[in-house]
Amino acid sequence: MRVELGSWAAPGAVNEDCALAGPDWVVVLDGATEQPGVETGCAHDVPWLVRQLAAALAAGLTRSDAPLDDLLAEAIEAARRAHPECDLTNSWSPSSTASLLRRRGGSVEYLVLADSPVVLETAGEVEVVLDDRVDRLPERTIAAVEHWRNREGGFWVAGTDPEAARHALTGAVPVAELRRAAVLSDGAARWVDRFGLGDWTALLDLLDGGGSELLRRRVRAAEDADPHRPGKRHDDLTAALVRFTA
């Protein structure tokens, strides 16, 4: 498999995403931005937590063929051990999405936890693996998000609870059936699901033809063209395009 990736901070911000790739795997993490004025109980910021998870996942994927959810659980536990002095019971402790793709033998395995999708193109058809549980909460107030984070009936993120990894969406596709795949942060996915600039096949084509830099330019133009749209105006943007060879 051949991987091309890029990652950019939102204008004027620090990048809370992280993307890594090895010979047969890709990881994209998208840190959850801290809510202003909310106490996290942690001495560390979101990029620190994302880097801890990324390093642990890279080590696990390099040395082990264990199931992806096991490797994510181990990475969360490693991040916990890195800051025992912090209040790891605080539900606002730094957290992240996690999306993984790994080729193992004749299969390509995927894991998606929270809203950073994996897009798989097989024989002209496109499947989007998207964990949209946070969008299905009865309300999106700060209190509701705090209540439902990492709880049955709510949504799950990688932060302080290794059990969250067991709630990720996982699966596998025969590599012989795959042409391309993309692993995206939600800032990259907004080209489709926020701005409606094309479908998922068109997004793959855009990455294939112009790379993640072209996607970044198109998303930033859409963000700047509609500054009053509800929600976060700009977001960090990370995209990895994976091509498969025999």
Side-chain angles (χ1 to χ4, degrees), residues 125-159:
E125 297 184 357
V126 172
E127 176 186 1
V128 182
V129 184
L130 175 62
D131 179 358
D132 63 353
R133 283 172 285 194
V134 70
D135 294 326
R136 290 187 269 122
L137 295 179
E139 56 181 347
R140 289 289 294 275
T141 64
I142 290 178
V145 171
E146 179 179 17
H147 175 77
W148 289 110
R149 182 186 286 109
N150 284 358
R151 177 176 293 195
E152 290 286 356
F155 68 103
W156 300 83
V157 289

Side-chain angles (χ1 to χ4, degrees), residues 35-235:
Q35 294 291 329
V38 173
E39 176 56 51
T40 68
C42 186
H44 306 93
D45 60 11
V46 171
W48 179 90
L49 183 276
V50 169
R51 290 193 296 270
Q52 294 294 318
L53 290 172
L57 282 168
L61 287 161
T62 300
R63 70 169 185 266
S64 174
D65 285 335
L68 295 180
D69 60 337
D70 285 353
L71 295 179
L72 179 57
E74 291 171 7
I76 295 171
E77 181 57 38
R80 283 180 58 88
R81 292 195 301 269
H83 59 146
E85 73 281 8
C86 298
D87 178 9
L88 302 180
T89 66
N90 189 312
S91 64
W92 288 108
S93 186
S95 63
S96 175
T97 72
S99 295
L100 285 63
L101 199 71
R102 176 176 66 181
R103 179 172 181 174
R104 185 167 63 159
S107 296
V108 173
E109 304 164 332
Y110 60 81
L111 176 150
V112 175
L113 184 69
D115 57 355
S116 293
V118 169
V119 184
L120 305 166
E121 185 180 49
T122 60
E125 297 184 357
V126 172
E127 176 186 1
V128 182
V129 184
L130 175 62
D131 179 358
D132 63 353
R133 283 172 285 194
V134 70
D135 294 326
R136 290 187 269 122
L137 295 179
E139 56 181 347
R140 289 289 294 275
T141 64
I142 290 178
V145 171
E146 179 179 17
H147 175 77
W148 289 110
R149 182 186 286 109
N150 284 358
R151 177 176 293 195
E152 290 286 356
F155 68 103
W156 300 83
V157 289
T160 61
D161 184 3
E163 176 63 21
R166 309 306 176 193
H167 297 269
L169 307 181
T170 59
V173 180
V175 69
E177 297 180 8
L178 276 172
R179 179 186 172 208
R180 302 177 295 188
V183 188
L184 309 168
S185 68
D186 68 339
R190 57 175 35 195
W191 189 84
V192 174
D193 60 22
R194 179 176 173 87
F195 298 114
L197 298 174
D199 61 15
W200 296 105
T201 300
L203 186 146
L204 288 170
D205 290 341
L206 181 67
L207 288 172
D208 215 349
S212 53
E213 167 61 20
L214 180 58
L215 176 63
R216 182 195 69 82
R217 294 201 305 267
R218 298 282 175 84
V219 169
R220 295 291 181 249
E223 291 170 338
D224 292 337
D226 191 4
H228 303 297
R229 180 187 290 260
K232 187 186 297 185
R233 178 177 177 185
H234 295 110
D235 199 2

